[in-house]
């Protein structure tokens, strides 16, 4: 047995027991051992987990305490760790659970053995900065300065469980029992030696939330309404209906309150099971109750209170006869009674949702609104809320005109309507039955005055009728409205589409535009009617047959509208023309050369188009296309012959269709070898010897995707950009020493060849020298560039020696073509080591560095 051995278990970063850790009541300590960034054999770091990660934490912590108290025994140090550590409970069911072992807290343990000087803390802010009484427990986030692991927050002087997040942040838990009154003072204390207590921040406390109910005893399955006042307004605050005495996590039903909602009603149908129930208010999706309603007793011995939802009819005319009133609602019983202005009326029980009451002529002898309720006697029961029944003057229907032409509007005005939700108006011939109508509309619930306009199209005598409650018993009739016949106008033809067609082109649909058209209008073709479709009063469509356009010539198009009124319009001419032609400037063309087509005798349609396609391609496929242009009958169009040899042709299509109207002679495209490449310039053309490989841009002409850049006659990896530009990868070895290289471009056969050469010059590395290596803040320091490359975007930076290449204190561009340059800067006010750096071509790859300049 080793008496001084220390057993160590592992915890996670969230202070729970790691899933792999052994735990027992005799375990000495816990320490972090989950997802630890650890050094590994051979160098470097790796994230590892295990008690083999936790044990080194304890060993290192042990060394800290032994350094502070060299004479401390093993038992003394172990006791310091165990008495100051954070208790961790093993709640893993499959491990047995229940063991509580402290996790090491180094600073607290150290402070128990030796003085630890704490800084003076300051408290800057709290979150949340405002709370509700009865709300909790609440986690406070505190920000400030001078915090350490010994810091603790206090609430009205009572210390809180506090966790250190950083030297500027703490978290503390406020128990619900402390959140009382109208405000609280929060401070942070660092213990002596040193330390101190911060000034307090006041946290206002709003009144607690309150839940009330509209009743405390109801029959089973009866609605109860709860009212929340003083809610917290949290997005995840929720309400529950639960049995009295049940756990916080059980409920009969629940609902979320709503973000920002502090006052809320919620109606719930109580359970069918007898017992006591209560409403509960929980903030933030939790199970800590912030408010509880009075208990609601569900008692099967109680009869439910009746509820009244609607009356049928909802109103009647003053002075009318007695009638039966249908009352709709819920919770009616065989002893429920309908009351009229508080007095019972003879009532017939129909069902739990419907009663019928006998209303006398005396009840409706005077105009006004009577109150209808339903009463159910005890036990339970009660009186429903009232619904008003209107007793009013008879409704009247008046009309805007006694006679109107067909197609014109006539308006009816309802006054003294009864306001029923299903009352409706009808417009019908005077001889029609009540169940028949030409137009109808619902008046609207509660609407007693209403206008309605209809537009009859058939001559005759009509009237407006009022019906109540979706029925067919007429409650009012308007005066008669006479609708007279209207003479049709003489039609006018303004344009045709299309206005021409090719002879023998086949049947098509002709659109005729104009005015004064009716659904009886007919299109004439050379005086003979054609099948006509009415589109609108300004447009007709006519079916033109293949025989109508069989020969070149013209046709006269007109429109006829029969009586009454009507007549025949003037004529427009439709041209029947010869077929258009497509000719080409050549029937044999090289790949990539121009080919021109000429259209003659086009039809000038706005959407006529020409396509260039392979002879075998369907009409829906093409390589290129163009619209001919509205009114254009003669047109030329030039395309570039494709790179793939074969036979091609031009095609004419009309009116955005894929029906071919003309085809050109075949164009045979033959292969033409590419020309030899030409290299005209390089970028860059000058580089620093030994500076490493780079991408060389070669500009010129006649480049192809097979072209290759040569460096002193040897091919380099080449990227095709365009017919005028290539990129080549130049290696470190290619520019390792001072000298020149010859660059050319080769394109393989057929055709092709090798271009003339251009020169790339490798020059010695530029240098940066400084006027001094020691400077006072604010003094001048001059750098001199020698052997610069003269690039337009080359630049010098002055930067701290530790700064990355992208960071600098000052910079300057050198100037295009400039190879020697001096530049003076003012030494910064911050002491340190600095240097000048040379960068090429607006980049961040350093080409030269000066000696270090120390600012003292």
């Amino acid at each position: 047995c080793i008496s001084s051995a220390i057993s160590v278990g592992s915890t996670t970063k969230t202070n729970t027991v790691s899933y792999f850790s052994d735990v027992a009541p005799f375990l000495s300590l816990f320490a972090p051992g989950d997802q630890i960034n650890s050094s590994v054999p051979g160098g470097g770091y790796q994230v590892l987990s295990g008690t083999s990660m936790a044990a080194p934490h304890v060993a290192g912590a042990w060394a800290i305490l032994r350094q502070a108290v060299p004479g401390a025994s093993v038992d003394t140090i172990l006791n310091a760790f165990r008495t100051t550590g954070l208790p961790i409970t093993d709640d893993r069911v499959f491990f047995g659970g229940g063991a509580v072992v402290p996790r090491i807290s180094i600073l607290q343990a150290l402070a128990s053995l030796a003085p630890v000087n704490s800084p003076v803390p300051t408290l800057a802010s709290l979150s949340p900065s405002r709370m509700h009484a009865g709300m909790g427990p609440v986690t406070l986030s505190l920000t400030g300065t001078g915090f350490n692991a010994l810091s603790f927050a206090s609430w009205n002087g009572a210390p809180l469980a506090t966790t250190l997040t950083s030297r500027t942040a703490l978290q503390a838990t406020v128990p619900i029992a402390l959140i009382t009154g109208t405000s609280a003072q929060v401070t942070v204390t660092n213990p002596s030696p040193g330390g101190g207590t911060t000034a307090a921040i006041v946290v206002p406390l709003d009144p607690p939330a309150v839940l009330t109910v509209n009743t405390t005893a109801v029959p089973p399955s009866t609605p109860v309404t709860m009212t929340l006042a003083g809610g917290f307004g949290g997005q995840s605050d929720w309400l529950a209906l639960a049995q009295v005495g049940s756990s916080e996590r059980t409920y009969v039903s629940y609902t979320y309150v709503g973000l920002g909602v502090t006052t809320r009603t919620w109606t719930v149908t109580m359970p069918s099971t007898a017992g006591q129930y209560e409403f509960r208010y929980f903030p933030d999706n939790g199970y800590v109750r912030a408010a509880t309603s009075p208990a609601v007793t569900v008692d099967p011995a109680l009869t439910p209170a009746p509820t009244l939802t609607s009356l049928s009819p909802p109103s009647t005319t003053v002075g009318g006869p007695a009638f039966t009133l249908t009352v709709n609602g819920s919770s009616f019983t065989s002893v429920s009674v309908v009351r009229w202005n508080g007095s019972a009326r003879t009532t017939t029980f129909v069902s739990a949702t419907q009663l019928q009451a006998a209303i006398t002529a005396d009840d409706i002898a005077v105009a006004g609104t009577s109150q209808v309720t339903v009463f159910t006697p005890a036990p339970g029961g009660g009186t429903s809320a009232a619904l008003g029944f209107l007793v009013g003057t008879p409704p009247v229907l008046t009309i805007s005109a006694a006679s109107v032409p067909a197609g014109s509007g006539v308006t009816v005005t309802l006054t003294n309507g009864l306001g029923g939700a299903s009352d409706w108006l009808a417009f019908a011939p005077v001889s029609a039955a009540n169940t028949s109508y030409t137009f109808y509309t619902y008046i609207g619930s509660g609407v007693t005055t209403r206008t309605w306009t209809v537009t009859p199209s058939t001559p005759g005598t009509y009237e407006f009728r009022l019906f109540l409650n979706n029925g067919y018993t007429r409650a009012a009739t308007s005066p008669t409205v006479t609708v007279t016949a209207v003479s049709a106008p003489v039609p006018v033809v303004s344009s045709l589409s299309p206005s021409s067609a090719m002879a023998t082109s086949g049947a098509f649909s002709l659109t005729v535009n104009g005015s004064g058209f009716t659904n009886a209008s007919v299109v004439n073709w050379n005086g003979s009617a054609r099948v006509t479709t009415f589109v609108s009063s300004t447009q007709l469509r006519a079916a033109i047959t293949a025989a109508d356009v069989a020969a070149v010539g013209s046709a006269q198009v007109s429109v006829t509208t029969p009586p009454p009124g009507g007549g025949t319009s003037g004529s427009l001419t439709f041209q029947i023309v010869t077929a258009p032609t497509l000719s080409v400037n050549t029937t044999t063309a090289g790949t990539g050369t121009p080919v021109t087509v000429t259209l003659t005798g086009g039809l000038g349609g706005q959407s006529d188009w020409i396509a260039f396609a392979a002879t075998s391609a369907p009409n829906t496929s093409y390589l290129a296309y163009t619209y001919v242009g509205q009114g254009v009958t003669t047109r030329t169009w030039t395309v570039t012959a494709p790179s793939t040899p074969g036979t091609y042709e031009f095609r004419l299509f009309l009116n955005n269709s894929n029906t071919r109207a003309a085809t050109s002679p075949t164009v045979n495209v033959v292969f033409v070898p590419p020309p030899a490449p030409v290299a005209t310039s390089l970028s860059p053309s000058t580089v620093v010897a030994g500076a490493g490989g780079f991408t060389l841009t070669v500009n010129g002409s006649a480049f192809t995707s097979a072209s290759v850049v040569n460096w002193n006659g040897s091919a380099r990896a080449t990227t095709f950009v365009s017919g005028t530009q290539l990129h080549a990868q130049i290696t470190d070895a290619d520019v390792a020493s001072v000298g020149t290289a010859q660059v050319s471009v080769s394109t393989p056969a057929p055709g092709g060849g090798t271009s003339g050469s251009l020169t790339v010059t490798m020059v010695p590395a530029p240098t940066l020298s400084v006027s001094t290596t020691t400077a006072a803040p604010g003094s001048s320091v001059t750098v001199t560039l020698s052997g610069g490359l003269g690039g337009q975007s080359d630049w010098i930076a002055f930067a701290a020696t530790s700064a990355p290449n992208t960071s600098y204190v000052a910079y300057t561009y050198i100037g295009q073509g400039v190879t020697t340059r001096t530049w003076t800067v003012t030494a910064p006010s911050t002491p340190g080591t600095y240097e000048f750096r040379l960068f090429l071509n607006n980049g961040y790859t350093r080409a030269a560095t000066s000696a270090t300049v120390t600012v003292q």
Side-chain angles (χ1 to χ4, degrees), residues 129-170:
S129 60
R130 191 179 193 97
M131 301 181 196
H132 280 266
M135 175 182 181
V138 174
T139 298
L140 270 181
S141 296
L142 305 91
T143 61
T145 60
F147 299 159
N148 62 24
L150 302 177
S151 302
F152 64 89
S154 296
W155 178 276
N156 285 335
L160 303 176
T162 305
T163 303
L164 176 71
T165 303
S166 70
R167 286 180 294 177
T168 61
L170 299 172

Side-chain angles (χ1 to χ4, degrees), residues 352-741:
T353 60
Q354 192 174 92
L355 303 173
Q356 288 184 342
I359 306 303
T360 68
D362 289 341
D363 290 335
I364 58 173
V366 179
T369 300
S370 296
Q371 300 301 311
V372 177
T373 57
V374 173
F375 170 74
T376 301
T383 301
S384 72
L387 288 181
F389 185 94
L390 176 65
V391 181
T393 55
V396 176
L397 296 176
T398 57
I399 54 176
S400 59
S403 178
V404 294
S408 298
V410 60
T411 300
V412 65
T413 299
L414 164 67
T415 55
N416 300 328
L418 301 188
S422 301
D423 295 351
W424 59 292
L425 293 168
F427 181 74
V430 292
S431 59
N434 283 342
T435 56
S436 178
Y437 48 81
T438 304
F439 306 105
Y440 82 96
T441 187
Y442 281 101
I443 298 168
S445 179
V447 177
T448 58
T449 300
R450 167 78 188 273
T451 61
W452 177 43
T453 301
V454 298
T455 305
S457 58
T458 304
T461 54
Y462 298 83
E463 62 193 6
F464 292 94
R465 301 167 177 176
L466 170 65
F467 299 96
L468 304 181
N469 196 29
N470 253 344
Y472 292 103
T473 301
R474 204 183 306 185
T477 307
S478 75
T480 299
V481 178
T482 300
V483 178
T484 59
V486 177
S487 297
V490 177
V492 174
V493 177
S494 58
S495 66
L496 307 175
S497 179
S499 59
S500 61
M502 293 184 300
T504 71
S505 60
F508 65 96
S509 177
L510 176 67
T511 297
V512 180
N513 301 302
S515 61
F517 301 155
T518 71
N519 55 10
S521 298
V522 176
V523 175
N524 306 306
W525 180 271
N526 286 330
S528 298
R530 292 294 178 263
V531 177
T532 302
T533 301
F534 175 77
V535 179
S536 69
S537 62
T538 61
Q539 191 174 91
L540 303 173
R541 289 201 179 99
I544 306 304
T545 67
D548 290 336
V549 291
V552 173
S554 63
Q556 299 303 308
V557 177
S558 62
V559 172
T560 297
T561 301
T568 299
S569 70
S571 298
L572 291 182
T573 300
F574 185 93
Q575 298 292 337
I576 307 167
V577 299
T578 55
T581 60
L582 295 173
S583 58
V584 292
N585 65 329
T586 180
T587 56
T588 301
T591 52
T593 62
V595 179
T596 300
V597 66
T598 299
L599 165 66
T600 305
L603 301 190
Q606 182 176 5
S607 302
D608 296 351
W609 59 293
I610 302 173
F612 181 66
T615 55
S616 59
N619 285 342
T620 55
S621 178
Y622 50 79
L623 300 177
Y625 79 95
T626 187
Y627 281 103
V628 178
Q630 185 173 11
V632 177
T633 58
T634 301
R635 167 79 188 275
T636 61
W637 178 41
T638 301
V639 299
T640 299
S643 59
T644 303
T647 57
Y648 299 85
E649 63 193 9
F650 293 91
R651 300 167 176 174
L652 173 66
F653 299 96
L654 303 182
N655 197 30
N656 252 347
S657 71
N658 294 110
T659 302
R660 203 184 308 186
T663 307
S664 75
T666 298
V667 178
N668 187 31
V669 176
V670 297
F671 178 74
V672 176
V678 176
T680 57
S681 66
L682 305 174
S683 178
S685 60
T686 302
V687 296
V688 176
F694 63 96
T695 299
L696 176 67
T697 298
V698 182
N699 301 302
S701 60
F703 298 156
T704 73
S705 59
S707 298
V708 176
V709 175
N710 306 307
W711 181 272
N712 287 331
S714 298
R716 292 294 178 266
T718 303
T719 301
F720 176 76
V721 179
S722 68
T724 61
Q725 191 174 93
L726 303 173
H727 287 166
Q729 297 304 312
I730 307 305
T731 68
D732 295 351
D734 291 336
V735 293
S737 58
V738 174
T740 61

Side-chain angles (χ1 to χ4, degrees), residues 76-454:
T76 299
I77 294 177
L78 177 59
N79 182 64
F81 279 132
R82 286 183 61 84
T83 57
T84 62
L86 176 69
I88 302 295
T89 300
D90 182 11
D91 56 3
R92 300 172 301 169
V93 176
F94 56 88
F95 268 80
V100 180
V101 179
R103 189 220 65 200
I104 61 170
S105 299
I106 298 174
L107 189 60
Q108 288 89 334
L110 179 61
S112 72
L113 297 179
V116 174
N117 283 310
S118 295
V120 178
T122 65
L123 181 56
S125 66
L126 300 174
S127 179
S129 60
R130 191 179 193 97
M131 301 181 196
H132 280 266
M135 175 182 181
V138 174
T139 298
L140 270 181
S141 296
L142 305 91
T143 61
T145 60
F147 299 159
N148 62 24
L150 302 177
S151 302
F152 64 89
S154 296
W155 178 276
N156 285 335
L160 303 176
T162 305
T163 303
L164 176 71
T165 303
S166 70
R167 286 180 294 177
T168 61
L170 299 172
Q171 283 195 336
T173 301
V174 186
I176 188 172
L178 294 183
I179 308 175
T180 59
T182 59
S183 66
Q185 293 192 336
V186 177
T187 59
V188 173
T189 301
N190 285 353
S192 61
T197 299
T198 67
I201 292 181
V202 176
V203 178
L205 299 179
D206 295 325
V210 176
L211 297 179
T212 58
V213 291
N214 66 327
T215 182
T216 56
V218 293
S221 304
T222 299
V224 172
T225 298
M226 173 232 69
T227 299
L228 164 68
F232 303 160
Q235 183 172 7
S236 301
D237 294 355
W238 60 292
L239 295 165
L241 172 68
Q243 197 162 20
V244 172
S246 64
S247 76
E248 306 290 54
R249 293 178 178 268
T250 63
Y251 49 81
V252 176
S253 59
Y254 78 96
T255 187
Y256 281 102
V257 179
L259 178 63
V261 177
T262 58
T263 300
R264 165 80 189 272
T265 61
W266 180 36
T267 300
V268 182
T269 299
M270 300 303 288
S272 58
T273 304
Q276 283 194 312
Y277 298 85
E278 63 191 7
F279 293 90
R280 301 169 178 175
Y281 176 45
F282 299 98
D284 195 30
N285 248 346
Y287 292 100
V288 178
R289 199 186 311 184
T292 307
S293 76
V296 179
T297 300
V298 175
D299 186 353
L302 298 178
T303 301
T307 300
L308 185 55
T309 57
S310 67
L311 305 174
S312 179
S315 59
T316 192
T317 303
V318 64
F323 66 95
T324 298
L325 176 67
T326 298
V327 178
N328 301 301
S330 61
S331 301
F332 299 156
T333 72
S334 59
V335 295
S336 297
V337 176
V338 175
R339 290 177 172 177
W340 181 272
N341 288 328
S343 298
R345 292 294 178 265
T346 301
T347 302
T348 301
F349 176 77
V350 178
S351 69
T353 60
Q354 192 174 92
L355 303 173
Q356 288 184 342
I359 306 303
T360 68
D362 289 341
D363 290 335
I364 58 173
V366 179
T369 300
S370 296
Q371 300 301 311
V372 177
T373 57
V374 173
F375 170 74
T376 301
T383 301
S384 72
L387 288 181
F389 185 94
L390 176 65
V391 181
T393 55
V396 176
L397 296 176
T398 57
I399 54 176
S400 59
S403 178
V404 294
S408 298
V410 60
T411 300
V412 65
T413 299
L414 164 67
T415 55
N416 300 328
L418 301 188
S422 301
D423 295 351
W424 59 292
L425 293 168
F427 181 74
V430 292
S431 59
N434 283 342
T435 56
S436 178
Y437 48 81
T438 304
F439 306 105
Y440 82 96
T441 187
Y442 281 101
I443 298 168
S445 179
V447 177
T448 58
T449 300
R450 167 78 188 273
T451 61
W452 177 43
T453 301
V454 298

